Amino acid sequence: MATAITYDRLSGIEVFVQAVEAGSFALAAERLNLTRSAVGKSIARLEARLGARLFHRTTRQQSLTDDGQAYYDRCVRALAELQTAEAELDSGRREPQGRLRVSAPLVFGRHCVAPVLRELAQQHPQLQVEISFNDRVVDLIEEGYDLGIRVGELPDSASLAARRLGMQTMGIGASPAYIQAHGRPATVDELQQHAAIVYTRNGVDKAWALHGPDGQVLQLRPRASLRVDDLQAIADAAIAGAGLAWLPCWMLTHYVRTGELDVLMHGDRLAAQEVHAVWPQARYLPSKTRAAIDALAARVPAMLAA
């Protein structure tokens, strides 16, 4: 009986902390793989046991009471100690196990991350891999992810650790029909005379990074005939003859082989992008996270080189 009471208390504390940090019972439920009803009942049991109200709840928002804030501060410290102890033990475990939440860019994640982690999950039956594909920069700590994949320059961060997975080379391509109709640009100045399909996010166009004559990186902003926020849609539009496309070479190569696109510029003329695995900084790295990072580091460079 004593063991059951202790487990119930710890379970209730974890649900409570997640509900605070997620900002809603619904998001906490998603992170914990529970229903919203289960989260609500757990909080209700915790409040009943403590004899205190932890949340101010309305139909639109929730906020901590004074008692809730004081209890949360202590719970966070207690859970941090438990997590450190568990991670220390887990770091020496050979068999990865448990739920691994990974965030990856949409197209890169599908083609270069998902196959690797799918094989990892097949090799380790006690490991449950959950991958979220999204091109926005996810806050790994705030949103409860174990691992993230980032393409491009990494900002300085004291809360995240990183491992370089390789360099993503870029290429500029267009359909044979477009080139026949509009010509083949050979210089930066000529590129700017052509229609381009541009990647955009939150109203900001992503510049094309090229190397100038003296080696400096030039940020080219071509004339956009079409703006989209998905690399696959950019490739599809280029194949349809809508204009030039700036694409990763691992993606462009496939369409060159099928004859749907032709390469206009690539290699040293275009600046490459670094690819990193990033994860929340911790003294001990869980075996599940370490196994995923090692698998990606072993496989992704060859995919990028192809």
Side-chain angles (χ1 to χ4, degrees):
M1 180 65 71
T3 301
I5 292 174
T6 301
Y7 174 79
D8 183 64
R9 284 181 174 177
L10 292 177
S11 176
I13 289 172
E14 183 179 13
V15 172
F16 167 65
V17 169
Q18 283 289 346
V20 174
E21 295 180 348
S24 74
F25 287 7
L27 188 52
E30 181 180 335
R31 293 182 183 179
L32 293 167
N33 253 358
L34 300 172
T35 64
R36 188 187 185 286
S37 174
V39 170
K41 289 177 180 178
S42 178
I43 298 297
R45 287 195 298 268
L46 184 60
E47 289 178 325
R49 181 166 62 81
L50 296 173
R53 190 173 183 82
L54 301 176
F55 288 102
H56 295 298
R57 291 189 283 273
T58 68
T59 55
R60 292 191 176 184
Q61 62 180 4
Q62 67 182 40
S63 60
L64 286 172
T65 63
D66 291 342
D67 286 340
Q69 183 64 58
Y71 190 63
Y72 168 75
D73 293 340
R74 287 184 177 266
C75 287
V76 167
R77 290 196 293 270
L79 285 178
E81 288 294 326
L82 288 172
Q83 288 167 356
T84 298
E86 290 178 2
E88 183 176 358
L89 292 173
D90 183 68
S91 64
R93 184 183 292 131
R94 293 184 178 181
E95 181 67 20
Q97 62 181 12
R99 183 183 181 209
L100 178 72
R101 299 189 71 220
V102 181
S103 171
L106 188 61
V107 177
F108 183 87
R110 287 176 177 172
H111 287 265
C112 299
V113 176
V116 177
L117 297 187
R118 182 176 64 242
E119 289 183 12
L120 186 69
Q122 291 171 339
Q123 294 166 6
H124 302 284
Q126 299 303 312
L127 182 65
Q128 299 93 44
V129 178
E130 177 183 311
I131 311 174
S132 175
F133 301 108
N134 199 311
D135 283 342
R136 69 182 177 86
V137 178
V138 171
D139 187 322
L140 301 182
I141 297 172
E142 180 69 22
E143 299 184 41
Y145 285 97
D146 301 294
L147 186 65
I149 306 301
R150 302 278 167 83
V151 178
E153 186 177 355
L154 286 181
D156 292 334
S157 174
S159 60
L160 297 177
R163 180 171 175 180
R164 186 172 175 272
L165 299 180
M167 297 293 290
Q168 176 173 267
T169 56
M170 304 300 294
I172 297 175
S175 70
Y178 178 90
I179 294 171
Q180 184 176 3
H182 302 280
R184 177 185 291 270
T187 67
V188 173
D189 288 340
E190 290 177 2
L191 281 177
Q192 293 179 309
Q193 306 305 313
H194 284 258
I197 308 131
V198 175
Y199 183 93
T200 188
R201 175 158 287 277
N202 298 324
V204 179
D205 293 350
K206 187 174 183 61
W208 296 4
L210 296 86
H211 286 128
D214 57 357
Q216 84 278 20
V217 176
L218 305 176
Q219 298 294 327
L220 176 67
R221 298 192 180 276
R223 177 171 58 87
S225 62
L226 181 64
R227 292 180 171 89
V228 292
D229 64 354
D230 178 75
L231 283 178
Q232 187 60 60
I234 290 176
D236 293 343
I239 290 168
L244 311 185
W246 191 65
L247 294 167
C249 283
W250 59 263
M251 187 178 186
L252 181 60
T253 298
H254 168 74
Y255 296 111
V256 172
R257 287 172 178 165
T258 63
E260 294 171 285
L261 291 177
D262 197 358
V263 179
L264 303 175
M265 291 184 186
H266 72 291
D268 292 340
R269 298 191 66 179
L270 305 185
Q273 299 175 310
E274 289 190 329
V275 180
H276 288 88
V278 297
W279 61 93
Q281 183 73 262
R283 185 177 177 184
Y284 300 101
L285 188 62
S287 59
K288 62 182 181 181
T289 309
R290 184 183 301 280
I293 295 168
D294 289 345
L296 291 166
R299 293 279 305 282
V300 168
M303 295 179 179
L304 295 174

